């Protein structure tokens, strides 16, 4: 009875919250009557299907008859070519699916049963056929329904029998309404298998997603961000390499940079972080500049608020499956800070969702708990550490204490604390009896564990040595490593930092390492892995990079100045368009208030060869009356004018102000030709900008006819 009442109240809320939405299919009154019928009093006990609990079965008993009826009507209307009846049947099925997804607690199970039933009753085959109908509205609506039902088994079906249909839809890139559904379909299909992702990319699906990344539709951008994250996470190394070749890391920048939608930014950050975890392409990902956005963005979010925003989305409110969450573990256990931050945050969000479902044990089952504890114990980054602590607390797990990083100086009591936190409390007495301190701990071998410390089980020793390797990798060696061998080893491979103490104890420094032999590294420095020894020797014999302490680094080709409130989206698009054409571009990701950052920003303007000024709506309003030059855009313009930079204004919904309303030191900016940005014809606009950057000022549009003529005389 309680469940029925809860279900009734939830459906009532959903009915009133969506009945006025304009972004919905038209639903007949029949479905509303069906919903009222579901909320009646409890009936006699019914037989429950194997694997389905009673609450789920109760909902299915009232939903499935309506679903079967709607599918039969869809078949009949297709055979009779009745477009209106086809659309009504699609709308009924759509609402049944949507309402299932948003049910509290049992929503995922109910929705998956309904989605699978659509396939088993022939509805999925019908939807794929309807994608090829000449009736555009039916194509749109059937694609929207298809996007909603792509659970695992349905993805299998589409991958086997309908992928060609989906790929044909991706070729209609200019159809904005169709893009809203097709991008969502690709979001699901890119998490199917590596083979499916490969097939999608080789037939243009990734190109379509990257094309849509230039747009402004939040729904399409959200689907694109998630699809790219799925491609990176589930597509394997081959697909990740293709993403780099097609410059996906660069096109993720506008998505991660935008202030419009946190879900878009989050999944764009997740995608680029997963790509950076692949060491084969890590340098190219770093070069894109997108990775710099990840840690500050994650630090600005609150996991509970983010989880609440997911609860408002039918696609996300049930959270991720165990299989999905396991893909986060390589980020948690990896070497990049961005990966640890975003994975720990993701687990905080999922814990918030799973706690409502009373299913937090899932995190222990997938091995996430130990990874989070390692971050708390060893990470020096405040964001990653705080998120890991929060996730563990929400899971009901014990939060370990931070381990003091200067391991070589540990006393026996600190060794005891470490043993307890990594799960070896049973050996504390023996370690204490033998007075094992930090120095001895860093030198312990498998033989020592077996003969002196009583670890008789081989697997126990292996587990201990694995935890010891982690400790060695994160340890602070500053008190005994004057030549900073630790950082040099980390540059060769982050895992090699574990060998620092052995090298330092043997008296090895950066200069002498190149004269060592393989035998010396193995016997004297205790590096047992032959492949690791070969890599260290190879790196040591490469010539040292020249150090030009007095030389200024080369300046960027282009500095982009913009007003963050209205111009960040265009500024980020300009950055990527120029970057993929070989230009080096500087764009500040956060305008800080003062200090060293201010000096660095001004120096970047001074060193840049070109200065692009994004004039978006009200971009110069804060400059008016700014006699003290406190506004950032004002400072950047004055610096560019003083440095006689090649200034290129790019306007977008911008109204040119009265020159006398601006401070005198920046008025001359109004004398420069402006290029009007066209979102529909981006390539053509970029070609104009390129000609301007190369000194060709022909075909450049002024703010209006008279001003344009005046400016042409002065430029």
């Amino acid at each position: 009875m309680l469940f029925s009442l809860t279900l009734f109240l939830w459906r009532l809320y959903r009915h009133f919250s969506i009945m006025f939405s304009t972004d919905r299919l038209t639903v007949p009154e029949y479905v509303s009557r069906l919903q009222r019928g579901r909320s009646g009093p409890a009936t006699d006990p019914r037989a429950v299907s194997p694997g389905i609990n009673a609450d789920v079965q109760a909902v299915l008993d009232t939903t499935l008859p309506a679903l079967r009826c709607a599918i039969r009507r869809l078949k009949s209307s297709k055979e009779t070519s009745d477009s209106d009846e086809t659309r009504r049947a699609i709308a009924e099925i759509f609402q049944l699916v949507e309402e299932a997804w948003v049910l509290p607690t049992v929503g995922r199970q109910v929705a998956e049963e309904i989605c699978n039933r659509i396939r088993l009753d022939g509805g999925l085959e019908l939807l794929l056929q309807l994608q090829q109908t000449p009736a555009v509205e039916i194509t749109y609506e059937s694609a929207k329904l298809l996007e909603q039902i792509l659970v695992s088994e349905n993805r299998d079906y589409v991958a086997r029998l309908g992928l060609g249909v989906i790929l044909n839809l991706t070729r209609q890139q200019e159809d904005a309404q169709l893009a809203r559904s097709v991008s969502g379909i690709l979001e699901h299909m890119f998490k199917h298998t590596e083979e499916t992702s490969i097939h999608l990319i080789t037939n243009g699906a990734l190109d379509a997603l990257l094309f849509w990344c230039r747009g402004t539709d939040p729904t399409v951008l959200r689907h694109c961000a998630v699809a790219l994250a799925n491609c990176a996470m589930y597509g394997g190394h081959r697909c990740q390499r293709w993403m780099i070749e097609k410059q996906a890391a660069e096109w993720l920048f506008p998505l991660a940079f935008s202030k419009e939608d946190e879900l878009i930014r989050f999944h764009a950050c997740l995608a680029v972080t997963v790509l950076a975890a692949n060491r084969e392409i890590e340098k190219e990902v770093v070069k894109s500049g997108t990775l710099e956005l990840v840690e500050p963005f994650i630090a600005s979010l609150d996991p509970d608020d983010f989880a609440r925003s997911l609860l408002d989305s039918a696609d996300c409110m049930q959270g991720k499956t165990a299989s999905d969450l396991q893909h986060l573990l390589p980020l948690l256990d990896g070497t990049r800070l961005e990966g640890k931050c975003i994975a720990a945050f993701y687990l905080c969000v999922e814990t918030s969702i799973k706690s409502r479902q009373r299913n937090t044990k899932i995190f222990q089952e997938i091995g996430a708990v130990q990874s989070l504890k390692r971050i708390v114990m060893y990470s020096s980054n405040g964001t990653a550490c705080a998120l890991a602590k929060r996730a563990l607390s929400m899971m009901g797990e014990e939060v370990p204490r931070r381990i003091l990083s200067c391991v070589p100086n540990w006393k026996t009591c600190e060794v005891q604390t470490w043993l307890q936190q990594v799960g070896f409390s049973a050996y504390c007495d023996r370690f204490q009896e033998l007075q094992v301190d930090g120095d001895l701990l860093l030198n312990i071998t498998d033989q020592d564990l077996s003969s002196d410390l009583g670890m008789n089980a081989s697997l126990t020793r292996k587990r201990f040595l694995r935890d010891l390797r982690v400790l060695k990798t994160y340890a602070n060696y500053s008190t005994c490593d004057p030549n900073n061998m630790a950082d040099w080893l980390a540059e060769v491979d982050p895992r090699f930092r574990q060998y620092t103490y052995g090298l330092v104890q043997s008296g090895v420094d950066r200069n002498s390492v190149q004269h060592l032999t393989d035998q010396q590294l193995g016997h004297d420095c205790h590096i047992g892995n032959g492949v690791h020894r070969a890599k260290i020797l190879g790196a040591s014999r490469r010539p040292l990079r020249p150090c030009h302490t007095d030389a200024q680094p080369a300046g960027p080709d282009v500095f982009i100045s913009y007003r963050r409130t209205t111009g960040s989206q265009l500024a980020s698009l300009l950055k990527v368009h120029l970057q993929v054409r070989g230009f080096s571009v500087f764009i500040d990701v956060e305008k800080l208030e003062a200090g060293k950052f201010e000096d660095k920003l001004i120096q970047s303007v001074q060193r840049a060869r070109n200065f692009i000024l994004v004039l978006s709506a009200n971009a110069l309003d804060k400059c008016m009356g700014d006699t003290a030059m406190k506004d950032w855009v004002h400072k950047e313009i004055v610096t560019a004018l003083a440095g006689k930079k090649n200034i290129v204004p790019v306007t977008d919904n911008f109204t040119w102000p009265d020159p006398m309303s601006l401070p005198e030191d920046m008025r001359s900016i109004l004398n420069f030709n402006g290029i009007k940005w066209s979102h529909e014809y981006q390539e053509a606009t970029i070609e104009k900008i390129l000609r301007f950057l190369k000194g060709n000022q022909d075909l450049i549009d002024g703010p209006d006819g008279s001003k344009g003529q005046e400016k042409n005389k002065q430029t």
Side-chain angles (χ1 to χ4, degrees), residues 7 11 34 37-39 46 57-67 96:
L7 185 60
R11 291 192 184 285
L34 173 66
R38 288 186 208 165
S39 59
R46 296 173 181 265
Q57 191 66 48
V59 180
L60 292 175
D61 285 342
T62 55
T63 303
L64 291 182
L67 178 67
L96 290 169

Side-chain angles (χ1 to χ4, degrees), residues 78 124-133 142 165:
K78 181 181 179 299
L124 181 53
E125 181 183 2
L126 283 172
L127 289 176
L128 289 171
Q129 293 171 1
L130 290 172
Q131 306 304 309
Q132 305 167 73
T133 182
S142 57
V165 174

Side-chain angles (χ1 to χ4, degrees), residues 108 147 150-152 155 181-198 200-201 205-206 209-210 213 220-241 243 248 252 255 263-275 315-316 319-321 323-328 331 342 346 350:
R108 178 184 292 280
E147 175 204 337
L150 286 177
V151 294
S152 178
R155 292 196 295 268
S181 297
V182 177
S183 57
I185 293 170
L186 292 178
E187 170 189 328
H188 292 289
M189 295 311 299
F190 266 115
K191 64 183 294 187
H192 180 239
T193 63
E194 289 188 22
E195 290 74 20
T196 298
S197 294
I198 289 170
L200 288 169
I201 292 176
L206 179 57
L209 288 173
L210 297 180
C213 284
V220 176
L221 293 178
R222 192 178 305 122
H223 287 318
C224 287
V226 181
L228 292 170
N230 287 342
C231 183
M233 291 183 76
Y234 302 98
H237 284 201
R238 188 175 176 186
C239 290
Q240 290 177 348
R241 167 51 64 185
M243 290 180 74
L252 283 165
L255 305 186
L263 280 174
I264 296 173
R265 296 182 70 188
F266 175 79
H267 286 99
C269 288
L270 178 62
V272 77
T273 303
V274 173
L275 290 175
D315 295 336
C316 304
K320 298 297 182 181
T321 65
S323 176
D324 292 331
L325 294 174
Q326 280 183 315
H327 283 82
L328 297 173
L331 299 180
I342 201 165
Y346 206 143
E350 284 295 321

Side-chain angles (χ1 to χ4, degrees), residues 659-675:
M660 298 309 295
S661 66
L662 296 175
E664 185 177 359
D665 56 6
M666 65 172 290
R667 284 176 196 163
S668 58
I669 196 67
L670 302 180
N671 296 327
F672 288 83
N673 285 343
I675 300 174

